[in-house]
Amino acid sequence: MPPAMVPGQRDIEPPTDLDRMLHSIMGRVTLGISPVSLALAWADWALHLAESPGKWQRLAEKAVRKQVRLLNHAAPASAGVACPPCIEPLPHDRRFSSAAWQQWPFNLIYQNFLLQQQWWHNATTGIGGVSSHHEQVVAFVARQLLDLISPVNHIATNPEVLAATARDGGQNLLRGAMNLIEDWDRERGGKRPAGAEHFRPGHEVATTKGTVVLRNRLIELIQYTPTTKQVHAEPILIVPAWIMKYYILDLSSTNSLVSYLVDQGHTVFMISWHNPTAADRDLGMDDYLKLGIFDALDAVRAIVPDQKINAVGYCLGGTLLTIAAAALAGKDGTLLNSLTLLAAQTDFTEAGELTLFIDESQLDYLEDLMWRQGYLDSRQMAGAFQLLRSSDLVWSRMVNDYLLGRRAPMTDLMAWNADATRMPFRMHGEYLRHLFLNNDLFEGRYRVNGKPIALSDLHMPVFAVATETDHVAPWRSVYKFNLVAETDVTFVLTSGGHNAGIVNEPGHPHRQFRQTHWPAGERYVDPDRWYLSTTAVAGSWWPAWVQWLEQHSSGFAHPPSAGAPSTGYPVLGPAPGQYVLEQ
């Protein structure tokens, strides 16, 4: 795929092997984060702050007011008088929700911390002249440093840890030390977290019956065994993200989307991606299209001939599927019956906090790191995701595992999350540059086989699902598909995050969703106005999706046989196949 021409794009000299070697060595120390990118952000913030004496004055005034608030609260609180806190945690911050934090002196400790946290947010934001990206980076780094010194993370300032230590005679700290040693040993040996061994694909998870009907260098294609006498005529092809193992959509029997679809009378095919090694370093986005989606579509069409296909894409898989659908629109617009996008972005200008790690300096550094390895390691990638929610994914876990000495029970979703994959050098660089950095897909510059594609060429009905607390694909970013859509769109916003919002089986408590259908040609409604005017419905969005699929079905047929040996698609073995087991 030739590089897209972006306005203002410069010709960059190819990096030398010496430059790349230096950056790759440094990248192992910095976990793939460019120190130059951080320094540029800090300099932008610091220099503009230095020439803003009015901002200094406001910050000084805020500091004094916050200390006065704390002192006014301290007097009655220390005397045992019931009084409301002088500052409340943010709605998503549950670190201080325990009743123990409301007792003196811990109530003053945590409220002082929250006041300081609020002050640093004011100090790192709202300074004229600082670029939006650099402001976000500096504010993010400040949050990470503040999380590091949070009173929750230290024995002497955490009342829950002190109480557990007194109650258990210090046994909690001993258990925590043993947990730490076990985790260190597993990390050093490249093993999965404790308890993940009880969730093995093909045994406890990924157990829906099926057969592998295609295997090439990049994918296995699984055809699931029907459980009904009649099936909907149009088969479903699911394209998961290659950043994850496919069985996020086929976890346990109680929360498997695949099993749910099969039981509703659908013929389901699933792509299972190969976990790349250094030998796959030169696989690019075009290879993922050709060997992934296009080869899978050919197989489905051979096994279920003369039928259109309901295509489903999750996360990056949804983005790639959208690219494929737009490319097919120019030559075979009758292949796809519908398009379902699950937490998938097509515009990347507001792609959430992941964009903190996306700029020219960062990508240049990351590409040099991948150049030496041939891929982006799953641990390096997982580190970036954990930083985005460090208070929940890092520090909360450390407090529970190492200070309180109690591990959270391993679940199927947690075990899947630890079963990560690698990203090939060429593909990941192309993906980040063309989509995240340059936004080529949304702006009509993305090329397939040398020809630009346009999302406005999509004319099949679309069912788009976003999740309310998604930090990977924020729902307002997913919603932007409506800006370019020239087809029927059904948009669903469900409660939950990037994974839990999609794995949202019927009967799951405390779930709700909003749903709207816009016919082709309908006027655009901005996301905030849409949210306020749309009523939430209790329950899972799965039944609503199945009903939508039925509305776009041509009827029922006898289930197809497994594979099509006469056309080159024999049964190669049982599901879940071989690629899902690759580490």
Side-chain angles (χ1 to χ4, degrees), residues 479 482 518-526 529:
Y479 188 92
N482 294 302
W518 291 291
E522 188 84 359
R523 293 191 63 180
Y524 174 74
V525 179
D526 70 84
R529 187 152 55 99

Side-chain angles (χ1 to χ4, degrees), residues 213-214 221 269 294-304 564 567 569:
V213 295
L214 167 67
L221 183 66
F269 293 82
F294 292 152
D295 278 9
L297 286 170
D298 288 343
V300 174
R301 185 159 43 179
I303 296 169
V304 190
T567 55
Y569 298 100

Side-chain angles (χ1 to χ4, degrees), residues 539-575:
S540 166
W541 60 270
W542 289 9
W545 179 42
V546 166
Q547 183 180 15
W548 180 86
L549 289 171
E550 290 174 354
Q551 292 171 357
H552 294 89
S553 173
S554 62
F556 288 89
H558 292 293
S561 59
S566 62
T567 55
Y569 298 100
V571 172
L572 301 177

Side-chain angles (χ1 to χ4, degrees), residues 423-500:
M423 302 291 106
F425 160 64
R426 181 182 169 195
M427 181 282 300
H428 201 53
E430 289 177 349
Y431 169 76
L432 292 176
R433 283 196 178 276
H434 291 292
L435 298 179
F436 266 91
L437 187 63
N438 297 336
N439 203 31
D440 288 340
L441 174 60
F442 198 78
E443 297 179 11
R445 291 187 300 267
Y446 195 92
R447 293 174 179 266
V448 176
N449 296 326
K451 298 179 181 179
I453 60 171
L455 297 176
S456 57
D457 289 338
L458 299 175
H459 296 297
M460 72 289 291
V462 174
F463 192 94
V465 180
T467 63
E468 289 186 0
T469 57
D470 198 330
H471 64 286
V472 177
W475 77 265
R476 287 176 177 81
S477 179
V478 175
Y479 188 92
K480 284 190 172 184
F481 180 79
N482 294 302
L483 284 169
V484 293
E486 295 187 5
T487 185
D488 283 12
V489 176
T490 298
F491 183 80
V492 169
L493 178 63
T494 180
S495 56
H498 189 70
N499 297 322

Side-chain angles (χ1 to χ4, degrees), residues 74-97:
S78 59
V81 178
C83 56
C86 60
I87 183 172
E88 293 283 358
L90 294 172
H92 63 270
D93 188 350
R94 300 183 298 273
R95 291 175 293 180
F96 308 105
S97 58

Side-chain angles (χ1 to χ4, degrees), residues 226-522:
T227 59
T228 56
K229 293 182 179 180
Q230 295 280 299
V231 295
H232 293 278
E234 295 80 10
I236 292 176
L237 171 63
I238 301 179
V239 184
W242 53 90
I243 200 172
M244 58 177 70
K245 298 287 181 72
Y246 83 85
Y247 65 90
I248 176 66
L249 301 175
D250 186 26
L251 286 170
S252 304
S253 58
T254 57
N255 59 0
S256 167
L257 180 59
V258 170
S259 178
Y260 180 79
L261 288 171
V262 171
D263 290 343
Q264 297 298 316
H266 289 279
T267 300
V268 180
F269 293 82
M270 173 75 75
I271 287 178
S272 175
W273 297 99
H274 162 58
N275 194 3
T277 65
D280 302 305
R281 61 181 298 124
D282 292 323
L283 287 174
M285 286 289 286
D286 280 348
D287 296 304
Y288 272 69
L289 277 172
K290 171 62 178 66
L291 298 174
I293 293 180
F294 292 152
D295 278 9
L297 286 170
D298 288 343
V300 174
R301 185 159 43 179
I303 296 169
V304 190
D306 304 321
Q307 293 293 343
K308 292 184 177 182
I309 299 168
N310 292 316
V312 182
Y314 182 19
C315 187
L316 305 186
T319 304
L320 188 70
L321 179 60
T322 305
I323 293 171
L328 288 171
K331 60 179 182 179
D332 190 359
T334 63
L335 179 58
L336 299 182
N337 183 57
S338 71
L339 182 65
T340 297
L341 303 176
L342 308 178
Q345 299 175 95
T346 51
D347 177 272
F348 291 85
T349 54
E350 298 181 40
E353 288 194 321
L354 275 178
T355 57
L356 291 166
F357 306 107
I358 308 296
D359 56 36
E360 288 284 1
S361 175
Q362 179 60 54
L363 290 192
D364 185 70
Y365 194 76
L366 186 62
E367 286 171 346
D368 290 346
L369 176 62
M370 294 190 294
W371 167 81
R372 185 182 188 190
Q373 299 175 161
Y375 53 81
L376 182 66
D377 187 82
S378 59
R379 287 175 294 181
Q380 294 163 330
M381 190 162 44
F385 283 105
Q386 289 178 341
L387 281 176
L388 296 179
R389 297 174 57 201
S390 61
S391 62
D392 291 331
L393 300 181
V394 178
W395 300 114
S396 176
R397 174 178 168 269
M398 288 187 174
V399 169
N400 279 292
D401 286 9
Y402 306 146
L403 299 185
L404 294 173
R406 59 189 187 202
R407 286 196 189 275
M410 182 62 67
T411 65
D412 50 9
L413 188 59
M414 293 167 60
W416 164 84
N417 194 53
D419 194 8
T421 58
R422 295 174 288 272
M423 302 291 106
F425 160 64
R426 181 182 169 195
M427 181 282 300
H428 201 53
E430 289 177 349
Y431 169 76
L432 292 176
R433 283 196 178 276
H434 291 292
L435 298 179
F436 266 91
L437 187 63
N438 297 336
N439 203 31
D440 288 340
L441 174 60
F442 198 78
E443 297 179 11
R445 291 187 300 267
Y446 195 92
R447 293 174 179 266
V448 176
N449 296 326
K451 298 179 181 179
I453 60 171
L455 297 176
S456 57
D457 289 338
L458 299 175
H459 296 297
M460 72 289 291
V462 174
F463 192 94
V465 180
T467 63
E468 289 186 0
T469 57
D470 198 330
H471 64 286
V472 177
W475 77 265
R476 287 176 177 81
S477 179
V478 175
Y479 188 92
K480 284 190 172 184
F481 180 79
N482 294 302
L483 284 169
V484 293
E486 295 187 5
T487 185
D488 283 12
V489 176
T490 298
F491 183 80
V492 169
L493 178 63
T494 180
S495 56
H498 189 70
N499 297 322
I502 301 302
V503 183
N504 193 349
E505 71 280 2
H508 196 294
H510 312 302
R511 294 298 190 187
Q512 63 178 19
F513 66 96
R514 290 172 165 83
Q515 178 176 335
T516 298
H517 169 246
W518 291 291
E522 188 84 359

Side-chain angles (χ1 to χ4, degrees), residues 85 87-111 114 151-152 157-164 167 396 399-400 404 406:
I87 183 172
E88 293 283 358
L90 294 172
H92 63 270
D93 188 350
R94 300 183 298 273
R95 291 175 293 180
F96 308 105
S97 58
S98 168
W101 285 102
Q102 308 312 315
Q103 304 299 316
W104 188 88
F106 303 106
N107 53 354
L108 298 184
I109 291 173
Y110 94 80
Q111 287 174 62
L114 292 178
V152 175
T157 54
N158 187 325
E160 295 177 274
V161 174
L162 290 174
R167 182 176 60 251
S396 176
V399 169
N400 279 292
L404 294 173
R406 59 189 187 202

